[in-house]
């Protein structure tokens, strides 16, 4: 691209093959498709989450989220988390009218660490998701033993966490859930 893209211009590009894209400050970032083990872990995690979600929330894998960090006519920011939990009404809006999920509609994003993504997940995305106001962010590392770090918004300080958990993760926010991390590997 010879210029920076807005969210609408990014949407107009459609899907890219192979791999996937994200929009960072109007710049298109291309990434390879995840490995099968990564995708299986994402599927297994969402399968554990879904029956525990409150009725007003729904979860999905691998969809774009407009981080709403800039006005619509400026170079935008869109990430594609491994798992997104958002308001059911947001999914209905996208299904009926198009567009993408908005950070203000999201309760939780989950990233599963891939080779080469550790710094991006722990630094870049952590800052962007916090700045976007997403209430909760989980990072899952599949390196044995499988671990999960759960971040929650702490006002102007961004995200705070209480360290990596192995075995079983129990959350209270943004909703109550228990995840068997050993089932992800």
């Amino acid at each position: 691209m010879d210029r920076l893209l807005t969210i609408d211009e990014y949407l107009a590009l459609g899907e890219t093959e192979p791999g996937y894209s994200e929009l960072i400050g109007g710049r298109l970032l291309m990434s390879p498709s995840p490995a099968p083990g990564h995708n299986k872990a994402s599927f297994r995690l969402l399968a554990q989450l879904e029956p525990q979600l409150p009725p007003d929330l729904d979860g999905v894998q691998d969809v774009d989220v407009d981080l709403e960090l800039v006005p619509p006519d400026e170079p935008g920011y869109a990430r594609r988390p491994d798992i997104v939990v958002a308001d059911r009404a947001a999914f209905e809006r996208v299904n009926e009218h198009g567009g993408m999920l908005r950070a203000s509609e999201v309760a939780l994003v989950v990233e599963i660490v891939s080779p080469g993504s550790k710094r991006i997940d722990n630094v870049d995305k952590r800052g962007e998701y916090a700045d976007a106001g997403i209430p909760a962010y989980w990072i899952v590392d599949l390196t044995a033993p499988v671990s999960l770090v759960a971040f929650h918004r702490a006002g102007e300080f961004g995200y705070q966490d209480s360290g990596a958990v192995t075995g079983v993760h129990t959350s209270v926010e943004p909703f109550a859930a228990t995840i068997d991390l050993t089932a992800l590997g």
Side-chain angles (χ1 to χ4, degrees), residues 96-185:
E96 290 177 23
H97 305 290
M100 67 175 72
L101 296 175
R102 299 177 187 126
S104 57
E105 300 165 323
V106 174
L108 168 69
V109 291
V110 180
E111 295 288 0
I112 298 173
V113 177
S114 294
S117 77
K118 191 167 192 164
R119 178 172 170 70
I120 292 167
D121 292 340
N122 282 283
V123 179
D124 299 344
K125 290 181 181 180
R126 176 182 176 170
E128 291 168 7
Y129 294 155
D131 290 347
I134 295 172
Y137 172 38
W138 296 354
I139 299 175
V140 175
D141 190 336
L142 298 176
T143 306
V146 175
S147 63
L148 184 150
V149 178
F151 298 91
H152 65 277
R153 294 262 309 133
E156 64 187 48
F157 301 108
Y159 283 130
Q160 289 185 336
D161 72 271
S162 50
V165 174
T166 58
V168 174
H169 168 73
T170 303
S171 71
V172 177
E173 293 182 39
F175 48 84
T178 301
I179 304 299
D180 178 5
L181 298 171
T182 63
L184 303 183

Side-chain angles (χ1 to χ4, degrees), residues 26-46:
R27 292 172 181 84
L28 199 59
L29 173 68
M30 302 298 293
S31 295
S33 294
H38 179 280
N39 286 343
K40 285 177 70 173
S42 178
F43 173 80
R44 289 173 179 163
L45 177 56
L46 186 56

Side-chain angles (χ1 to χ4, degrees), residues 62-75:
D62 192 36
V63 297
D64 288 320
V65 175
D66 176 358
L67 296 183
E68 300 178 295
L69 295 175
V70 296
D73 61 340
E74 292 184 17

Side-chain angles (χ1 to χ4, degrees), residues 40-57:
K40 285 177 70 173
S42 178
F43 173 80
R44 289 173 179 163
L45 177 56
L46 186 56
Q48 287 187 59
L49 274 175
E50 283 214 306
Q52 301 179 72
L53 293 176
D56 62 325
L57 297 177

Side-chain angles (χ1 to χ4, degrees), residues 8-21:
D8 286 341
E9 291 167 329
Y10 173 70
L11 274 171
L13 293 176
E15 291 296 318
T16 58
E17 294 296 333
Y20 68 94
S21 62

